[in-house]
C-alpha cells in the first residue's frame, strides 16, 4: 500500500512485483459509502507489473470471515473516475481454502481481485483506459473476479477497457452449482 500511495503522490508510475508472494488483506480498509472492505485503493496512472505468474498477490486468509462484507483485493469506488490503470504479468490467488464462503444458504458475495465501481444503480466509476493483460486468476471463492461497474443513469460511461490474454482457473469456489461471471 505504501508503494501505491507514494507512486500516486508522484503523479503515477509502475508498482513492480518481483517474483514472490505478496499477501493483501482484503479487509484492511472500509469503504464508508458501501458495505465493502478492501486491501489497496486504486488511483489513475498506475501500472501494476509483475515478472509473470511467479509474481503472486494472494488474498490474506480469513478475509471472508465477516459474512456481511464483500472483501476486495484492489478497489476503486463507489463513484469518481479513473484513467490509465493496468495490471500486467502477475498472478492473483483468492486462497479459497482459507477464505471459505457458506454453501447453504448460497453465499453470493463478491470476493474480487479487482473491483471498480458501485453496487447501486446510478453510481459508479467512469474508467478511461483500464488494462488487465497476461495475468492468472486462480482459486477465487466469490461470485466475480474482476468487476467494472459504471452504473451511471446518465453521463459518460467507461471506455477503453481491455481484458486480454488472461487465464481464469478454478474460480467460484463458494458453491459448485451457481453460475456467475468471472469478469463482469
Amino acid at each position: 500500500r505504501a508503494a501505491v500511495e507514494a507512486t500516486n503522490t508522484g503523479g503515477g508510475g509502475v508498482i513492480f512485483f518481483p517474483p514472490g508472494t505478496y499477501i493483501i488483506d482484503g479487509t484492511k480498509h472500509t469503504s464508508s459509502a458501501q458495505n465493502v472492505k478492501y486491501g489497496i485503493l486504486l488511483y489513475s496512472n498506475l501500472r501494476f507489473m509483475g515478472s509473470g505468474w511467479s509474481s503472486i498477490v494472494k488474498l490474506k486468509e480469513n478475509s471472508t470471515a465477516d459474512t456481511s462484507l464483500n472483501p476486495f483485493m484492489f478497489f476503486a469506488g463507489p463513484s469518481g473516475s479513473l484513467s490509465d490503470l493496468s495490471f500486467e504479468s502477475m498472478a492473483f490467488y483468492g486462497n479459497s481454502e482459507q477464505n471459505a464462503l457458506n454453501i447453504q444458504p448460497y453465499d453470493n458475495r463478491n470476493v474480487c481481485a479487482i473491483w471498480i465501481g458501485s453496487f447501486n444503480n446510478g453510481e459508479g466509476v467512469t474508467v478511461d483506459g483500464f488494462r488487465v493483460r497476461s495475468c492468472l486468476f486462480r482459486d477465487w471463492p466469490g461470485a466475480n473476479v474482476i468487476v467494472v461497474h459504471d452504473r451511471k443513469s446518465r453521463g459518460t460511461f467507461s471506455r477503453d477497457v481491455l481484458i486480454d490474454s488472461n487465464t481464469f482457473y478454478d474460480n467460484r469456489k463458494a458453491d459448485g452449482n451457481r453460475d456467475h461471471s468471472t469478469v463482469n
Side-chain angles (χ1 to χ4, degrees), residues 33-34 78-79 117-125 149-153:
Q34 294 184 295
S79 61
S118 172
F119 285 103
N120 302 318
N121 287 327
E123 290 183 348
V125 175
H149 279 196
D150 64 356
R151 298 176 169 190
K152 291 190 175 274
S153 54

Side-chain angles (χ1 to χ4, degrees), residues 55-122:
S55 299
I56 300 166
V57 290
K58 184 177 179 180
L59 188 63
K60 183 179 179 183
E61 64 185 53
N62 295 319
S63 289
T64 58
D66 183 340
T67 60
S68 67
L69 297 173
N70 294 286
F72 306 141
M73 191 178 279
F74 294 91
F75 172 73
S79 61
S81 63
L82 283 175
S83 61
D84 300 319
L85 175 66
S86 68
F87 294 87
E88 300 174 38
S89 300
M90 49 196 300
F92 296 79
Y93 281 34
N95 195 15
S96 70
E97 187 173 310
Q98 302 299 318
N99 286 300
L101 298 181
N102 298 322
I103 299 296
Q104 296 289 334
Y106 294 120
D107 188 340
N108 289 320
R109 283 184 291 157
N110 290 286
V111 183
C112 293
I114 305 166
W115 177 283
I116 299 173
S118 172
F119 285 103
N120 302 318
N121 287 327

Side-chain angles (χ1 to χ4, degrees), residues 9 43 76 87 97 109 162 168 170 177:
T9 300
Y43 302 98
F87 294 87
E97 187 173 310
R109 283 184 291 157
L162 177 67
F168 297 90
D170 205 19
N177 60 359

Side-chain angles (χ1 to χ4, degrees), residues 23-64:
I23 305 298
I24 297 180
D25 184 350
T27 62
K28 187 171 181 104
H29 307 284
T30 302
S31 171
S32 59
Q34 294 184 295
N35 193 31
V36 300
K37 295 259 186 182
Y38 63 92
I40 296 176
L41 190 61
L42 295 171
Y43 302 98
S44 294
N45 304 313
L46 295 181
R47 185 175 175 196
F48 295 88
M49 174 74 91
S51 294
W53 294 357
S54 62
S55 299
I56 300 166
V57 290
K58 184 177 179 180
L59 188 63
K60 183 179 179 183
E61 64 185 53
N62 295 319
S63 289
T64 58

